[in-house]
Amino acid sequence: MAQPTLATQDPGRWIHDLPISLGEYREMLLANLIMIGEIPAPAFDEKARIEFVKQRFTECGLQKVSSGSAGNGLAVLPGRSEGRSILITAHTDTPFPDTVAHTLTVSSDRVTGPGVADNSLGLAALTTLPTIIEGLGLEFTHDLVFMADTRSLGKGNLEGLRSFLTRADIPILAGLSIEGVQLGRLDYISLATLGGEIECIAKTWNGIDGQDTIAALNQIITRLRNIPMPGEPLTRLILGSISGGTSYKTPANSATLRFQLRGESDAVVDGIAEEILTICEEMASNLDIDVDFDVIARTRAGGLSPGHPLVQNALSVQQSLGIGTIAPAHSSAASVFLEEGLPSLTVGVSLGENRGGVREYVEIEPTLKGLAQVIGILRAIDGGCCGED
């Protein structure tokens, strides 16, 4: 009598037992993580990492391995029938420049290094998935489109994903974005966000008697902090980074602030952005310096309802695996899918800490549940939870 395969067992039981079956792929996932993570990939300079991912796609036997106009890494696993495709993405870029040493260290329970959580592990999962799908003997009705997208972070403003979705000549059914952390996130909505950059520039340079652009920027920051932020709809101003000057003994010729406005209402965020522009214009006039205000990234509020079948199926997958779902649930990628009217989710593969620092790490043990979760959600989409063709 033939033994039941993973693919023919009860769906709930199948998902519950899947991490055990993925044990043999753990070393492959870690190898891909190390090789990917040690290739620097700041936004707009991801070519070397993309070429590695494309090589892996080719070795896995995927079809149509290519790059789009934005330099993404793309490949297709054909389904059983023609129709709409499921897009699986992981962003390629990290916040770290190539001047930072990209050396990862592996211990018994974690992998540590810059960008390992955001998003080398997500990209390693994307690169390992085709081999797992083949090894488990899984077949899908719809084509699976694997994409390592570029120019996601900062001034990239999700350009790689946006470029693909606006120019794709294949119909997309739904999207699933993979992040390294945190396991348990289930992001199905997008907040209204505006990434801004304010630069104060001296009009003249007179040595120690020159215009103090850092002091000017400090006055602007004080004005920004005095802008009332609504509690309903919830809105926040996040001061992310400041920079300026080249020496401790001369006034800085320029100084720059980068920040993000984040809220539940596009109208409120747009209104506060207008206030910031007015403040910059007033300070430029009052202090007789140049003040430039640029919007470097923007996402719109929206997304799926908690009761959407995709959300409910993903919750069921996480519960079957014993994964605790994390709230709140929002991602910037959801905004791009929303612009095209497509349902999407973002999930994390493992747990980790120190995100954005050189001591960033991810835990190894939870990764098999993270991979099982991705496969379970893909099967739910393929099974029709996002509608029919």
Side-chain angles (χ1 to χ4, degrees):
M1 181 177 178
Q3 295 297 314
T5 65
L6 281 171
T8 58
Q9 293 175 355
D10 169 72
R13 189 69 193 176
W14 183 83
I15 288 294
H16 179 272
D17 293 344
L18 186 53
I20 299 173
S21 302
L22 298 182
E24 63 181 284
Y25 301 99
R26 195 183 86 147
E27 296 307 314
M28 176 183 289
L29 174 68
L30 292 178
N32 282 332
L33 172 57
I34 300 301
M35 288 186 280
I36 287 171
E38 295 195 341
I39 303 173
F44 298 95
D45 193 12
E46 307 102 323
K47 185 175 180 180
R49 190 176 282 201
I50 287 292
E51 289 304 314
F52 176 84
V53 171
K54 288 168 60 180
Q55 178 185 340
R56 278 287 187 260
F57 284 162
T58 300
E59 292 168 353
C60 293
L62 298 184
Q63 299 182 12
K64 301 179 182 178
V65 178
S66 63
S67 289
S69 59
N72 298 313
L74 289 157
V76 177
L77 178 62
R80 290 192 300 267
S81 64
E82 296 182 357
R84 301 169 75 181
S85 301
I86 302 171
L87 180 61
I88 315 157
T89 74
H91 72 83
T92 307
D93 47 345
T94 79
F96 298 93
D98 57 10
T99 53
V100 173
H102 282 61
T103 302
L104 304 190
T105 57
V106 183
S107 64
S108 59
D109 63 347
R110 65 179 59 174
V111 182
T112 304
V116 66
D118 185 21
N119 187 32
S120 299
L121 178 57
L123 197 58
L126 181 83
T127 309
T128 309
L129 269 174
T131 300
I132 294 175
I133 289 171
E134 181 184 22
L136 294 177
L138 299 179
E139 293 185 350
F140 288 81
T141 300
H142 301 85
D143 288 356
L144 302 184
V145 178
F146 294 83
M147 182 170 77
D149 54 288
T150 59
R151 306 173 193 175
S152 173
L153 303 174
K155 291 185 177 180
N157 195 23
L158 300 158
E159 182 180 334
L161 178 58
R162 184 173 283 109
S163 173
F164 174 80
L165 289 178
T166 56
R167 300 179 182 181
D169 57 0
I170 54 175
I172 302 297
L173 175 62
L176 179 61
S177 298
I178 307 174
E179 292 278 353
V181 294
Q182 294 285 352
L183 180 64
R185 65 188 291 184
L186 188 60
D187 304 343
Y188 53 87
I189 60 173
S190 170
L191 293 177
T193 68
L194 182 148
E197 182 177 272
I198 296 174
E199 184 177 18
C200 297
I201 307 168
K203 288 185 176 180
T204 59
W205 187 83
N206 294 318
I208 61 173
D209 296 322
Q211 294 176 308
D212 188 343
T213 57
I214 290 180
L217 185 62
N218 184 53
Q219 293 187 50
I220 291 175
I221 291 173
T222 299
R223 293 279 303 272
L224 298 185
R225 300 291 293 176
N226 288 331
I227 297 175
M229 293 292 151
E232 182 64 38
L234 185 63
T235 309
R236 292 287 184 267
L237 172 63
I238 299 167
L239 304 180
S241 71
I242 56 174
S243 61
T246 57
S247 168
Y248 69 91
K249 58 185 178 181
T250 55
N253 193 48
S254 66
T256 302
L257 166 71
R258 294 183 178 87
F259 66 92
Q260 186 188 60
L261 276 172
R262 177 184 298 181
E264 298 171 336
S265 165
D266 287 308
V268 171
V269 167
D270 288 339
I272 295 174
E274 287 294 326
E275 289 188 56
I276 293 175
L277 176 61
T278 299
I279 289 172
C280 291
E281 292 173 344
E282 291 176 356
M283 296 301 287
S285 176
N286 295 341
L287 301 175
D288 194 29
I289 62 171
D290 291 326
V291 180
D292 294 333
F293 171 35
D294 292 321
V295 175
I296 60 176
R298 185 73 169 92
T299 62
R300 300 291 174 181
L304 305 180
S305 70
H308 190 283
L310 177 56
V311 178
Q312 290 300 306
N313 275 268
L315 280 169
S316 178
V317 168
Q318 291 190 334
Q319 290 169 359
S320 295
L321 290 165
I323 298 172
T325 303
I326 300 171
H330 52 79
S331 81
S332 53
S335 174
V336 182
F337 282 100
L338 178 65
E339 292 171 7
E340 302 301 321
L342 296 172
S344 72
L345 293 176
T346 297
V347 296
V349 176
S350 186
L351 303 175
E353 296 294 342
N354 303 331
R355 186 175 177 180
V358 294
R359 299 301 298 169
E360 184 174 304
Y361 73 84
V362 294
E363 298 179 15
I364 296 174
E365 190 274 335
T367 55
L368 299 184
K369 278 191 177 181
L371 287 172
Q373 165 199 229
V374 171
I375 294 170
I377 294 172
L378 287 176
R379 286 172 61 85
I381 297 172
D382 195 58
C385 76
C386 292
E388 301 298 328
D389 289 345

